[in-house]
Amino acid sequence: MMDERQAVAAFAALGQEHRLRIVRQLVTAGPEGMAAGMLAEAVGVSGTNLSFHLKELSHAGLVTSRREGRSIIYSAAYPDLSELIQFLMRDCCQGRPEVCAPAVAALAACCLPTGDTAHA
């Protein structure tokens, strides 16, 4: 479970526009992630700036990396991002589920499977 210190570090890392774009791009890329060059191009930063931002995001636990041949592939750290969302929402409704219902519905809608699975 994420504590307040970890949440502050994560929010501080996300509080910069390029870092927020990087995380959103990696979330969109899925678990496969993206090579550094493609990621830099997608978010509109130089390779040097990308490295700086990725280091900050990595220290905050929001991004992971792995080597594939000569490339470094970056991915969103989905478990940590989920914990950050849970940290925010943990005490949101205080017995009043209608307070959190819009956020829960938005998250549920984005996670629906695509395609027609009724005929599978």
Side-chain angles (χ1 to χ4, degrees):
M1 186 179 315
M2 182 171 282
D3 63 26
E4 189 172 291
R5 180 189 55 78
Q6 293 167 311
V8 167
F11 284 119
L14 291 170
Q16 200 281 338
E17 68 180 290
H18 294 304
R19 287 185 220 141
L20 182 58
R21 279 191 214 144
I22 290 167
V23 170
R24 293 186 76 197
Q25 184 67 42
L26 290 174
V27 166
T28 302
E32 307 81 37
M34 293 180 76
M38 291 178 63
L39 182 56
E41 186 177 320
V43 297
V45 297
S46 69
T48 304
N49 281 338
L50 180 72
S51 293
F52 170 77
H53 293 307
L54 286 168
K55 181 183 80 167
E56 295 296 316
L57 292 166
S58 180
H59 283 132
L62 301 175
V63 170
T64 62
S65 63
R66 68 183 184 281
R67 183 170 289 282
E68 283 188 9
R70 294 177 52 185
S71 297
I72 298 184
I73 307 298
Y74 292 93
S75 301
Y78 290 101
D80 293 271
L81 288 168
S82 293
E83 283 191 30
L84 185 59
I85 294 167
Q86 289 175 37
F87 176 85
L88 278 177
M89 301 301 292
R90 188 175 303 135
D91 303 316
C92 78
C93 67
Q94 298 292 312
R96 294 178 40 216
E98 71 276 5
V99 173
C100 295
V104 171
L107 287 172
C110 77
C111 296
L112 292 174
T114 57
D116 185 5
T117 58
H119 300 289

